[in-house]
Amino acid sequence: MRFAETGYNLEVDLSTGNVERVETDPRWTEQHLGGLATSSRILWDRCPPEVEPYSEENLLIFAAGLLVGTPAPGANRTVVTTISPQSLFTAYSMMGGFFAPELKHAGYDKLILRGRSPSLVYLWIHNDKVEIRDAAHLAGKGANETADLIRAELREPKAQVAAIGLAGENRVRFASIEHGRSSASRLGIGGVMGDKRLKAVAVRGTRDLNVARPAEYMELCNWVLKYIGIREQKPVPGVMPILAGLGSPQEMKLIDEEWHTTNFMWGNSRTRRRDFWTKEIEEKWKGTQESVRKRLVSCYNCPMKCGATISVPGVATYMMKCFSKLTYTMAAYSDLDFGFRIAQRATEYGVDAFSAPQVMAYGLELLEHGILGPADFEGMPADNEGRFYWLLDRIVRREGIGDVLADGTYWAAKKFGKAAEDLAHNNIKKHEQLPLKLGMLNPVYFLMYCTGEKSNITQIEGQFPQAPFATMAEREDFVKDWVQVPDEKFKKYLLDWELRGERSNPNYPTVEMSCDIVDWQERMHHIDDALGMCAGLGSFPLKPPYHIHNYPAFIAAAAGLDIDEAGLTTIARRNRTLLRALNVRRGLTRDDERPPDDHWKKRFPDLEQKLLDGYYKFKGWNLRGIPTESTLNGLGLGFVADDLKKRGLAIDDDHPSHGQDSAPADHPKAAS
Amino acid sequence: MDPTSKKRKKLVKTIRIDVDKCNGCRACEVICSSFHASPKYSSSNPERSRIRVIREPLRDIYVPVYAGEYTAAECSGRDKYTIDGKAYDECAFCRASCPSRSLFKEPDSGLPLKCDMCESDPPLEEPMCVQWCLNDALVYEEHEVEVEEEEGVEQGELELGLESLVDRHGLQKLMDTIARMKKKG
């Protein structure tokens, strides 16, 4: 008997219509846990680097993590994995909501899709019964609209649906997959779903999920709830409001947006408006938010309320969470009412709310700079907000200029030459980043931005405060009950971290400390992503209920896997390294590992190279950022080493001989 | 008042449901199914839960409903409520395990489910669904009332299941089957 997991994957070939229920190898659970990690393993085995994102060979995997569907609060994440049409590396985009638990109750840990359907279809999974159904009547429908129509035609109000909108159907490179209050948005996975001609997946499951040691597990789960209750009464003092509590940033709850609106950039990540937030704005935005927000809403089995039902007069009701509240508003230099209105349309179309607004603002910059002419924008209204609606409509239909912009800022810029490439200034690995431009380089963030396989900071950071506390008293207060630290040394790092002077950014935390801190944060994200635990209760917030010291007990009681902290750390390292190897095999090099040039005003090229060298070494990679043979073998990834060698990728350990050198310029590229 | 009648005290257990506070997380369903699993907490499956959240986010409908009595026959008429402009589904607030719908039935056997307020030994302070509702959409209350002494016992889970089997197959057939099973050992 398998515990916590179902032990089966559902494999669907959309080209042939073949459907199989495949038993999984329990040894993979021991080696990787599940979720993102076992999906990476499948991609490694079955998606060689020659595979194009938009091809029959690319896989699209919906995975529920190991703990999903068990009573552990917050274990509800769906991890969608594929080859990204935007970065061309591995995409793993996650969503909360109700999809993954339903999939597990239907009897599957993963849904693995391959091929390409001859016509638009949707998939209906009802326990053992799996049907590929015609979706011609759903073509062009919005993502939420599609979910409603499917539930109605199946007469299954409890079916959980993940769907794409027009953007996915038209293979926009930043299209999302939408699921009610949640979406898997980043890196264009909705485009891959559209390329497979798959409009939606509906799932309904009514089977049991078992845990290995019920009483023990329940005690742990009860403790989590108790802790959440206490922690909610004790917000962390001295940090910005969105970082004080648990959950994902409480954008739906909080009204005070001084921090975002005066620190994040407006337009195409261009302008900082330090004086934007006034009493008058606060009153106006408060009015807007309170009038459109009908209810705060949760994901499956989680007491946090990170999302909200939004009902703006004149547009259909939808749900929103997190920072998408401000991305459209700020890209258009507009107000919150506009942000809530356009986000409804964007959600139905299914686009990434980080990328889409920047792409539209970028399009307007191309016009302002004369790189494109008025003819390219024929028919565009003159008013500011109208222009954004117009652009959004063009992009998701790939009409006119929208066809180019639908590829995102990086690929659009390639078509228009150097000047346009300079304007596409906010990318890492071809992927639009948070609209954030800062002063002094932060060494920890430098490393996370550069090396994160996610290419997206919000899924990498957490645990360690983003900035030092001003006074020693505040620091001492913070570390007092900081039980989540893997090692006492982290407390010292924080206690010694100053706002100014010798022990401040960029030289403090030191290279070595920065590697430690990044490693800890990554480790927690990789554990969460394998377990299907929401980062909002694990790897993202300060002082979360789930941490390195108690996770082994959860895993043991739920799945019957007896591992300790060291064992869990090794698994996380194995999983992180496998993901890195996947991307290395697809051509990722040290050159790709750089933040946008203007991310910080004050940059330190020598220090930055030392940071990268130090981090690679810490990880057991060579100076090219490639895991070395001994590292791979040590993690039981000998098959990865063999494959990389066969492809001519240098997995030698060059640290002792090269010392401080950065990567040689002639390093071989992967055959992609 | 009839001086010969015997009064006894009865504990009335109430769960106060505030639909405005429900965020639709369904933790109540998870923990209910888990608590009632055998062995206790060994599995979870909201389909087996004795509380279900009627949940339609885009219409802002969130109504936790508890499984009540089993009924062999559906009502002769049905009701449909509209409250504060929100139209609820047919029979939305009904607690019955009823042939007209799939709600409150074991997914495998189709046997009826009924909330027992997490009866257990030793008794819990509050039913598990209440304990797991951190947003206080579910709040437990109890108070005593004086009632006439009644004979009879509360219908237990087994009896409830048997009753539905009798309704389905007839008492004689059920007794024959049990007799046959007994013979087989």
Side-chain angles (χ1 to χ4, degrees), chain A residues 98 204 208 295-296 301, chain B residues 19 22-23 25 47-48 60:
Chain A
F98 298 79
R204 175 87 176 99
D208 297 347
R295 186 185 294 259
L296 293 173
N301 192 24
Chain B
V19 299
C22 179
N23 307 99
C25 76
E47 196 64 11
R48 292 189 199 281
D60 197 44

Side-chain angles (χ1 to χ4, degrees), chain B residues 5-59:
Chain B
S5 80
K6 283 188 188 162
K7 294 277 186 188
R8 70 177 178 94
K9 285 195 170 150
K10 186 184 168 190
L11 192 66
V12 177
K13 300 172 176 176
T14 305
I15 293 172
R16 204 150 44 79
I17 302 161
D18 185 343
V19 299
D20 289 337
K21 288 185 177 161
C22 179
N23 307 99
C25 76
R26 300 171 60 198
C28 51
E29 298 180 6
V30 176
I31 191 61
C32 175
S33 69
S34 194
F35 178 82
H36 288 95
S38 181
K40 199 179 268 188
Y41 303 125
S42 61
S43 69
S44 53
N45 182 358
E47 196 64 11
R48 292 189 199 281
S49 170
R50 294 121 201 262
I51 176 171
R52 296 306 299 266
V53 184
I54 314 247
R55 189 180 155 275
E56 278 187 69
L58 296 180
R59 289 166 59 206

